[in-house]
């Protein structure tokens, strides 16, 4: 019966992973996040505008920082903490539809550009800025046809303000603005109540053949402009739509621009609860799927091999050491048992190690709880900024565990001043990140971007830090320090043992750098998709995959650290405390190097400020990754050393 059970373990594991990944259309289950709103025929649909975004500059701007058409009163929507940190600025707009009532060539406004306005439009077109709008909490998207004809379209968030191009037969490059948009509102109708719910919000800018790669139209009219002027380029009364015979709209000083739009309503079979599915569909899902599974299988295979080797080797060593009976045999002992009287000697800078371990525990708890909530569907993509808000709040409240773990380790190292270690734990990592963040925020302020965190939000962050996180760290430290001291399984000599000369491959720098390769290799595929989501403004909601990768990361960090720690102890080098932290933590170096590679190969950032922002934020991410992976490796090695030295007879 035992053999039958063991033979079922691997298939059961694979089935469990498959079910997790395939739960709700492969990607991840999510809850809608907001209550549905029912609309009747003729109900007003108010379109809101969000920030202008660009993958070239990474600097968001509010919609009305550019001289677009404005409503009489601009009203800001209340944003949560995550939205403010993302640079979201949601405001009302002059775009308004009536439910299931199509409109043709609706005039929004007329603008005459002066030199300043023309320059502003040209700069934004040059930097490839997109307009982001929201209808019934759905973002505006542009459907993009994929290479596979039968595949559903991919979606680009937002529509470009304009494009650069040339007239046919001309080499002079001009700036053209998208001043005529065709909106498509998709809705699902309830046959029982005759009400409708919005399930899609798409736009296609009008394209004319008068210029290469141009998507605008120069509107014309007779006489002088007035509120009731009828256009000759398109007229809803005469059922005349915009045609390809119209000239495109250039952006130049003293040019007149008339903004118009069409809106059509399209019935859809998609239900309201599933309306985000199309948005979250990855453009290269097959590549993503096979890459993740391939990485998973390789890492599981390596993990099994490492575990088998370690268990067989350790079992033989422990059996051999426990069979030593005479004093002469005991004096001839070699390998890791020889350093038993020094292996638990407190390391140099033990206070700093306690601080970093405590911070790593705080990160680990935050990541674990965040992923669990995301996998269960509580961090809906419709709740903009929800993920960042949740991570910030969890980080603050997990300070309790940071203080507890730091003080427990500190007391084991014979420390007595628990308040000092609590203070350093509460301030070292957050203060470093805050200084970098403050400098980056100052640069964003200098660019007058909406991505700059306002003073009120900065005060809220400081309050979360000093008002909640710091006290919780002290509470955790107090509780941890009152716990009994963790006893070492063997006694430590007063005089440290001399470490013999080590082989070149056991050099600390070399072994630390080698140790970081495997953990990074477990996550770098998923890292590509995460970076693409952040810096190329694409949807990401694959928390099922991400949770599996997180588990793989934990396993690989633990195993590679245990293996290298075992080789180190066999070489009679007992200085394992810091090296165990740095071995898995060095994967952060590879993460930053990969981020640098990604910057030069995938991004088109040219402005110095944007480059500084990218590397500044990736430095923070790499620092956090170092703390997280280092702590995982440290605790794995800590458990391993205590296990093996408590398993042998030592006189």
């Amino acid at each position: 019966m035992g053999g039958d059970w063991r033979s079922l373990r691997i298939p059961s594991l694979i089935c469990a992973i498959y079910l997790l990944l395939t739960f709700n259309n492969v990607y991840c289950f999510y809850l809608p996040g907001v209550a549905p709103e029912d609309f009747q025929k003729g109900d007003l649909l108010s379109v809101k505008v969000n920030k202008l975004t660009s993958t070239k500059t990474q600097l968001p701007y509010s919609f009305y920082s550019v001289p677009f058409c404005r409503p009489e009163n601009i009203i800001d929507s209340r944003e949560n903490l995550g939205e403010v940190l993302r640079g979201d600025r949601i405001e009302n707009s002059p775009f308004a539809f009536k439910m299931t009532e199509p409109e043709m060539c609706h005039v929004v406004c007329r603008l005459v550009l002066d030199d300043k306005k023309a320059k502003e439009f040209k700069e934004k077109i040059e930097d490839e800025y997109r307009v982001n709008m929201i209808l019934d909490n759905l973002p505006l998207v542009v459907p993009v046809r994929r290479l596979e004809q039968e595949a559903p379209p991919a979606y680009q968030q937002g529509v470009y303000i304009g494009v650069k191009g040339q007239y046919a037969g001309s080499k002079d490059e001009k700036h053209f603005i998208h001043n005529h948009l065709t909106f498509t509102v998709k809705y699902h109708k309830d046959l029982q109540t005759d009400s409708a719910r919005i399930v899609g919000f798409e736009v296609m800018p009008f394209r004319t053949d008068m210029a290469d790669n141009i998507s605008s139209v120069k509107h014309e009219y007779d006489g002088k402009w007035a509120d009731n002027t009828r256009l000759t380029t398109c007229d809803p009364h005469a059922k005349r739509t915009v045609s390809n015979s119209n000239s495109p709209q250039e952006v130049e000083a003293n040019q007149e621009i008339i903004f118009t739009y069409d809106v059509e309503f399209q019935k859809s079979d998609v239900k309201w609860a599933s309306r985000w599915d199309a948005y979250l569909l990855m453009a290269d899902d097959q590549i993503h799927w096979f890459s993740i599974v391939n990485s998973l299988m390789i890492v599981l295979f390596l993990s099994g091999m490492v575990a088998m080797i370690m268990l067989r080797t350790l079992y033989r060593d422990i059996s051999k050491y426990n069979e030593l009976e005479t004093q002469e045999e005991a004096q001839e002992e070699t390998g890791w048992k020889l350093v038993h009287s020094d292996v638990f000697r407190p390391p140099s800078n033990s206070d700093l190690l306690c601080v970093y371990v405590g911070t790593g525990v705080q990160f680990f708890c935050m990541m674990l709880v965040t992923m669990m909530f995301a996998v269960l569907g509580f961090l809906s993509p419709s709740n903009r900024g929800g993920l960042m808000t949740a991570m910030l709040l969890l980080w603050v409240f997990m300070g309790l565990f940071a203080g507890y773990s730091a003080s427990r380790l500190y007391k084991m190292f014979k420390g007595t001043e628990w308040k000092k270690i609590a203070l350093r734990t509460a301030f070292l990592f957050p203060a470093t990140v805050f200084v970098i963040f403050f400098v980056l925020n100052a640069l964003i302020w200098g660019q007058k971007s909406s991505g700059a965190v306002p003073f009120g939000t900065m005060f809220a962050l400081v309050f979360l830090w000093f008002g909640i996180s710091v006290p919780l760290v002290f509470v955790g430290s107090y509780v941890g320090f009152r716990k009994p001291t963790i006893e070492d399984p063997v006694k430590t000599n007063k005089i440290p043992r001399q470490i013999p000369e080590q082989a070149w491959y056991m050099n600390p720098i070399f072994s630390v750098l080698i140790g970081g390769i495997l953990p990074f290799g477990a996550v770098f595929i998923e890292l590509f998709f995460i970076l693409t989501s952040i810096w190329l403004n694409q949807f990401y909601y694959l928390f099922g995959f991400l949770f599996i990768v997180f588990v793989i990361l934990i396993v690989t960090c633990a195993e590679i650290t245990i293996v290298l720690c075992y080789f180190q102890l066999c070489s009679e080098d007992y200085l394992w405390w810091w090296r165990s932290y740095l071995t898995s933590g060095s994967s952060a170096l590879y993460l930053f190097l990969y981020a640098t590679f990604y910057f030069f190969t995938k991004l088109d950032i040219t402005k110095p400020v944007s480059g500084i922002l990218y590397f500044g934020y990736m430095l923070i991410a790499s620092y956090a990754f170092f703390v997280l992976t280092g702590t995982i490796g440290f605790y794995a090695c800590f458990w391993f050393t205590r296990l093996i030295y408590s398993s042998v007879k030592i006189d």
Side-chain angles (χ1 to χ4, degrees):
M1 188 66 184
D4 293 339
W5 178 80
R6 281 193 296 269
S7 65
L8 289 173
R9 283 187 299 179
I10 298 302
S12 299
L13 175 63
I14 295 174
C15 287
I17 294 170
Y18 177 77
L19 287 174
L20 177 61
L21 294 179
T22 55
F23 188 47
N24 193 43
N25 293 333
V26 178
Y27 305 111
C28 186
F29 174 72
Y30 65 89
L31 301 175
V34 293
E37 187 172 355
D38 294 323
F39 297 96
Q40 302 292 335
K41 181 177 176 63
D43 284 353
L44 183 66
L45 304 179
S46 298
V47 178
K48 295 182 179 180
V49 289
N50 200 348
K51 60 189 176 184
L52 305 175
T53 55
S54 168
T55 57
K56 289 187 70 174
T57 68
Q58 303 296 334
L59 293 169
Y61 287 90
S62 66
F63 180 81
Y64 295 113
S65 64
V66 178
F68 283 114
C69 304
R70 297 168 177 255
E72 292 183 4
N73 297 310
I74 298 176
I75 303 172
D76 293 335
S77 299
R78 298 184 64 180
E79 294 106 3
N80 59 41
L81 182 60
E83 285 180 301
V84 176
L85 293 176
R86 281 163 30 108
D88 288 346
R89 298 295 182 268
I90 302 173
E91 299 158 313
N92 61 327
S93 77
F95 297 91
F97 316 142
K98 289 185 178 180
M99 189 65 186
T100 63
E101 293 185 5
E103 287 187 86
M104 181 192 299
C105 201
H106 182 94
V107 177
V108 183
C109 75
R110 169 182 172 271
L111 296 177
V112 178
L113 303 183
D114 55 22
D115 291 337
K116 182 181 178 183
K117 291 179 180 179
K119 182 182 177 183
E120 289 174 348
F121 272 122
K122 285 182 179 181
E123 287 176 349
K124 293 297 184 288
I125 293 172
E126 192 83 28
D127 290 331
E128 298 180 3
Y129 271 88
R130 301 177 189 174
V131 174
N132 292 279
M133 298 183 184
I134 299 169
L135 177 63
D136 191 38
N137 212 38
L138 275 180
L140 178 71
V141 292
V142 177
V144 179
R145 186 174 298 173
R146 305 194 193 195
L147 295 177
E148 302 87 357
Q149 295 295 327
E150 297 180 357
Y155 290 102
Q156 168 196 291
Q157 290 192 65
V159 59
Y160 287 110
I161 292 177
V163 291
K164 293 192 301 179
Q166 305 92 22
Y167 287 102
S170 173
K171 294 183 179 180
D172 295 333
E173 200 165 51
K174 302 286 185 180
H175 295 82
F176 300 91
I177 191 168
H178 290 162
N179 62 322
H180 182 84
L181 302 176
T182 300
F183 295 102
T184 301
V185 178
K186 296 183 177 181
Y187 66 95
H188 181 80
K189 194 165 186 177
D190 190 333
L191 298 177
Q192 295 179 346
T193 62
D194 203 37
S195 61
R197 293 176 178 177
I198 296 174
V199 296
F201 185 35
E202 301 176 2
V203 66
M204 285 300 294
F206 174 73
R207 304 186 65 83
T208 176
D209 296 333
M210 289 295 293
D212 296 332
N213 197 26
I214 304 303
S215 310
S216 63
V217 56
K218 183 177 177 61
H219 285 298
E220 298 174 354
Y221 55 90
D222 296 327
K224 291 185 178 180
W225 179 262
D227 291 341
N228 58 351
T229 300
R230 292 168 63 171
L231 301 175
T232 58
T233 44
C234 64
D235 187 357
H237 302 285
K239 303 294 182 183
R240 185 168 59 249
T241 60
V242 174
S243 67
N244 291 337
S245 60
N246 300 116
S247 302
Q249 178 63 62
E250 289 185 38
V251 177
E252 293 292 346
N254 302 318
Q255 281 276 358
E256 175 188 62
I257 300 179
I258 299 174
F259 289 89
T260 57
Y261 68 82
D262 299 335
V263 59
E264 59 182 34
F265 291 84
Q266 192 176 103
K267 198 172 181 179
S268 173
D269 294 329
V270 176
K271 294 185 178 180
W272 184 87
S274 305
R275 63 181 187 166
W276 278 88
D277 288 359
Y279 293 82
L280 304 180
L281 187 65
M282 294 295 288
D284 42 8
D285 53 351
Q286 291 296 324
I287 297 174
H288 186 90
W289 170 267
F290 287 120
S291 298
I292 290 295
V293 171
N294 183 52
S295 176
L296 178 65
M297 291 299 106
I298 291 174
V299 172
L300 284 178
F301 174 75
L302 290 175
S303 300
M305 293 293 292
V306 168
M308 184 177 65
I309 293 170
M310 293 302 300
L311 288 174
R312 291 188 62 181
T313 306
L314 282 176
Y315 179 76
R316 187 176 67 248
D317 285 351
I318 292 172
S319 299
K320 183 180 69 175
Y321 288 143
N322 286 338
E323 289 172 0
L324 295 176
E325 296 179 355
T326 64
Q327 184 68 23
E328 291 77 11
E329 287 176 315
Q331 290 176 353
E332 293 175 0
E333 63 186 23
T334 58
W336 55 269
K337 190 184 177 188
L338 195 61
V339 294
H340 65 82
S341 59
D342 294 277
V343 73
F344 292 106
R345 187 180 304 282
S348 57
N349 297 317
S350 59
D351 291 5
L352 185 62
L353 180 63
C354 295
V355 170
Y356 270 112
V357 169
T359 305
V361 169
Q362 187 175 7
F363 250 111
F364 180 82
C365 294
M366 179 200 73
M367 292 293 295
L368 185 63
V369 176
T370 301
M371 291 220 193
M372 289 176 64
F373 273 103
V375 169
L376 293 174
F378 290 103
L379 296 177
S380 170
S382 64
N383 183 13
R384 281 175 300 277
L387 178 63
M388 188 173 290
T389 303
M391 291 181 71
L392 273 174
L393 293 178
L394 283 171
W395 163 263
V396 168
F397 288 108
M398 294 303 167
L400 188 71
F401 298 100
Y404 178 84
S405 52
S407 64
R408 288 279 282 164
L409 193 61
Y410 178 68
K411 189 175 183 179
M412 192 189 75
F413 290 150
K414 306 298 186 292
T416 56
E417 301 176 6
W418 68 270
K419 293 180 182 178
K420 181 182 74 173
I421 210 70
L423 191 68
R424 294 180 68 180
T425 304
F427 281 91
L428 180 62
F429 180 85
T432 305
V433 171
F434 189 81
V435 168
I436 299 173
F437 177 75
F438 188 82
V439 172
L440 296 178
N441 196 59
L443 292 174
I444 299 173
W445 266 112
Q447 298 295 313
K448 299 179 180 179
S449 167
S450 66
V453 177
F455 176 77
T457 306
M458 193 73 77
F459 178 79
L461 292 175
V462 173
F463 172 77
L464 288 174
W465 179 14
F466 284 89
I468 301 177
S469 180
V470 173
L472 285 176
V473 171
F474 271 86
V475 170
S477 263
Y478 175 75
V479 173
F481 200 75
R482 286 177 61 88
K483 291 284 185 180
T485 305
I486 301 173
E487 297 294 337
D488 297 330
V490 292
K491 292 182 179 180
T492 302
N493 287 344
K494 293 183 178 179
I495 301 174
R497 176 188 178 87
Q498 185 175 0
I499 300 173
E501 186 176 351
Q502 301 293 302
W504 66 269
Y505 52 83
M506 292 306 298
N507 179 278
I509 297 177
F510 179 78
S511 62
V512 162
L513 292 177
I514 289 296
I517 295 176
L518 188 59
F520 171 75
V523 301
F524 87 96
I525 296 174
E526 198 68 21
L527 181 64
F528 170 80
F529 291 96
I530 294 173
L531 291 178
T532 301
S533 170
I534 295 172
W535 300 108
L536 294 181
N537 200 28
Q538 295 184 10
F539 291 107
Y540 182 90
Y541 201 72
L542 302 179
F543 289 105
F545 282 124
L546 193 59
F547 184 75
I548 296 298
V549 171
F550 184 60
V551 173
I552 294 172
L553 176 67
I554 295 172
V555 172
T556 49
C557 284
E559 288 185 343
I560 193 66
T561 308
I562 288 173
V563 170
L564 293 180
C565 180
Y566 175 71
F567 291 153
Q568 180 185 351
L569 294 175
C570 287
S571 301
E572 301 179 21
D573 183 356
Y574 53 84
L575 301 177
W576 63 272
W577 297 95
W578 271 109
R579 196 186 292 192
S580 66
Y581 196 98
L582 296 173
T583 295
S584 53
S586 65
S587 56
L589 173 63
Y590 297 102
L591 188 150
F592 189 78
L593 291 175
Y594 181 77
T596 305
F597 170 79
Y598 185 88
F599 177 85
F600 288 106
T601 57
K602 299 295 182 182
L603 300 182
D604 191 23
I605 294 177
T606 54
K607 290 189 175 182
V609 172
S610 303
I612 294 172
L613 289 178
Y614 176 85
F615 285 106
Y617 285 127
M618 291 312 302
L619 181 63
I620 292 175
S622 301
Y623 187 25
F625 194 72
F626 164 74
V627 172
L628 173 66
T629 53
T631 300
I632 294 171
F634 171 82
Y635 271 114
C637 206
F638 181 68
W639 166 82
F640 171 73
T641 51
R642 294 181 63 83
L643 177 67
I644 63 173
Y645 283 100
S646 62
S647 301
V648 295
K649 298 175 184 177
I650 297 175
D651 297 329

